[in-house]
């Protein structure tokens, strides 16, 4: 019961039951940053009961039981909905103890799952825009994130695979995400790995990250550019007024500007 759902257009969220992914899914379900009128927000979860602890049955977010472990498993997800965009936040968190001590096998597994998704999309000839949540400074050779967490190397590999995917995509490289849903600061955007070096705040709120990701999905769904590829770094800056409260049109202007400029990437890992 509850799993036999009508197949409808959906923004498909992977990692949507985590602390960051759930905030993104909630922001997407609000709708103001996306012009599409008739779509669902569908969160993929392995365990329905655990997912319901995050998202009650209020109609705002649909839960699809599944994973990315195989082509058959992915096909089962796509049989339950008609994805018009994908938001990938799975395996992102750097804040919990499980992630801190995650071994190479777990970090590799996150990359394998993302690779499985891209392979499925290519093999089934699905042209679906994707937003990937990634980390700021992951290409720094001596990045503290790399030294203490290691996992960032695999996220960079995921970025590179997405760039080769060829279809529309946005990669959001976030500063350290704070467990707050208050928009205490405005959002600042960078265009390369050195853009924020030694400047001000190096954090961002969950609420602001969710806003950026929802706006990214909205941009990809609305832009006429068939080759839109955007990579941006985001963090908080002092002052409350600004992009955190901008309209969809203003967000789209920002993404259009970034899509026309190359991202300054130093690649120390493949």
């Amino acid at each position: 019961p509850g799993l036999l759902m009508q197949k409808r257009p959906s923004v498909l969220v992977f990692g949507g039951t985590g602390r960051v992914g759930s905030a993104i899914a909630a922001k997407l379900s609000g709708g103001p940053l996306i012009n599409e009128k008739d779509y669902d927000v569908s969160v993929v979860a392995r365990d329905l009961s655990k997912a319901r602890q995050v998202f009650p049955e209020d109609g705002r977010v649909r839960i699809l039981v599944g994973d990315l472990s195989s082509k058959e498993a992915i096909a089962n997800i796509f049989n339950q909905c008609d994805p018009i965009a994908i938001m990938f936040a799975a395996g992102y968190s750097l804040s919990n103890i499980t992630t801190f001590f995650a071994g190479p096998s777990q970090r590799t597994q996150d990359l394998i799952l993302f690779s499985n998704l891209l392979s499925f999309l290519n093999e089934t000839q699905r042209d679906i825009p994707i937003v990937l949540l990634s980390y700021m400074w992951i290409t720094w050779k001596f990045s503290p994130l790399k030294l203490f967490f290691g996992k960032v190397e695999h996220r960079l590999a995921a970025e590179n695979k997405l760039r080769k995917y060829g279809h529309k995509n946005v990669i959001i490289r976030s500063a350290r995400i704070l467990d707050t849903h208050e928009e205490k600061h405005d959002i600042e955007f960078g265009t390369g790995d050195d853009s924020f070096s030694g400047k001000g705040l190096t954090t961002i709120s969950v609420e602001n990250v969710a806003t950026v990701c929802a706006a990214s999905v909205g941009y990809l769904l609305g832009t006429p550019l068939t080759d839109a590829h955007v990579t941006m770094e985001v963090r908080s800056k002092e002052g409350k007024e600004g992009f955190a409260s901008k309209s969809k049109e203003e967000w789209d202007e920002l993404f259009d500007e970034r899509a026309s400029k190359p991202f300054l990437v130093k690649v120390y890992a493949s």
Side-chain angles (χ1 to χ4, degrees), residues 207-226:
E207 183 70 19
N208 279 349
V209 168
T211 296
V212 173
C213 289
S216 300
V217 171
Y219 169 72
L220 291 178
L221 288 175
T223 180
L225 297 175
T226 57

Side-chain angles (χ1 to χ4, degrees), residues 23-92:
I24 295 171
K27 182 69 71 172
L28 285 166
S29 69
L33 297 176
I34 299 179
N35 280 340
E36 299 289 330
K37 301 299 183 183
D38 187 24
Y39 71 92
D40 294 318
V41 174
S42 298
V43 169
V44 178
R46 295 185 182 89
D47 189 309
L48 179 61
S49 61
K50 290 183 179 179
R52 282 294 176 215
Q53 295 176 18
V54 180
F55 295 106
E57 296 186 66
D58 59 6
R60 294 182 62 199
V61 175
R62 301 171 69 201
I63 305 298
L64 305 181
V65 177
D67 58 46
L68 298 171
S69 59
S70 66
K71 293 179 183 178
E72 293 74 20
I74 300 172
N76 181 59
I77 294 170
F78 280 71
N79 286 336
Q80 299 180 64
C81 67
D82 182 19
I84 55 176
I86 293 172
M87 175 68 232
F88 196 91
Y92 173 81

Side-chain angles (χ1 to χ4, degrees), residues 30-156:
L33 297 176
I34 299 179
N35 280 340
E36 299 289 330
K37 301 299 183 183
D38 187 24
Y39 71 92
D40 294 318
V41 174
S42 298
V43 169
V44 178
R46 295 185 182 89
D47 189 309
L48 179 61
S49 61
K50 290 183 179 179
R52 282 294 176 215
Q53 295 176 18
V54 180
F55 295 106
E57 296 186 66
D58 59 6
R60 294 182 62 199
V61 175
R62 301 171 69 201
I63 305 298
L64 305 181
V65 177
D67 58 46
L68 298 171
S69 59
S70 66
K71 293 179 183 178
E72 293 74 20
I74 300 172
N76 181 59
I77 294 170
F78 280 71
N79 286 336
Q80 299 180 64
C81 67
D82 182 19
I84 55 176
I86 293 172
M87 175 68 232
F88 196 91
Y92 173 81
S93 178
L94 288 177
S95 68
N96 59 55
I97 197 69
T98 302
T99 299
F100 188 89
F101 289 107
S105 61
Q106 178 59 51
R107 297 194 290 266
T108 302
Q109 182 66 14
D110 291 337
L111 175 59
I112 291 173
L113 295 179
F114 186 65
S115 299
N116 288 348
L117 174 62
L118 295 184
S119 295
F120 176 83
L121 294 176
N122 280 327
E123 291 174 11
T124 57
Q125 298 183 336
R126 285 177 163 89
D127 183 0
I128 301 175
I130 298 177
V131 177
L132 173 67
L133 183 59
S134 189
Y135 313 111
M136 189 183 296
W137 302 317
I138 64 174
T139 56
W140 282 18
K141 192 170 185 178
F142 301 107
S143 167
L145 292 178
K146 186 178 295 186
L147 293 173
F148 287 102
F149 297 103
K151 190 173 183 178
V152 294
E153 295 172 342
H154 294 81
R155 207 60 167 196
L156 177 58

Side-chain angles (χ1 to χ4, degrees), residues 169-188:
N169 64 77
V170 172
I171 297 171
I172 298 297
R173 288 181 170 180
S174 172
R176 184 170 66 90
I177 300 176
L178 300 178
D179 288 320
T180 173
H181 289 268
E182 299 179 15
E183 296 182 353
K184 292 183 177 180
H185 301 286
D186 189 18
I187 304 171
E188 184 174 12

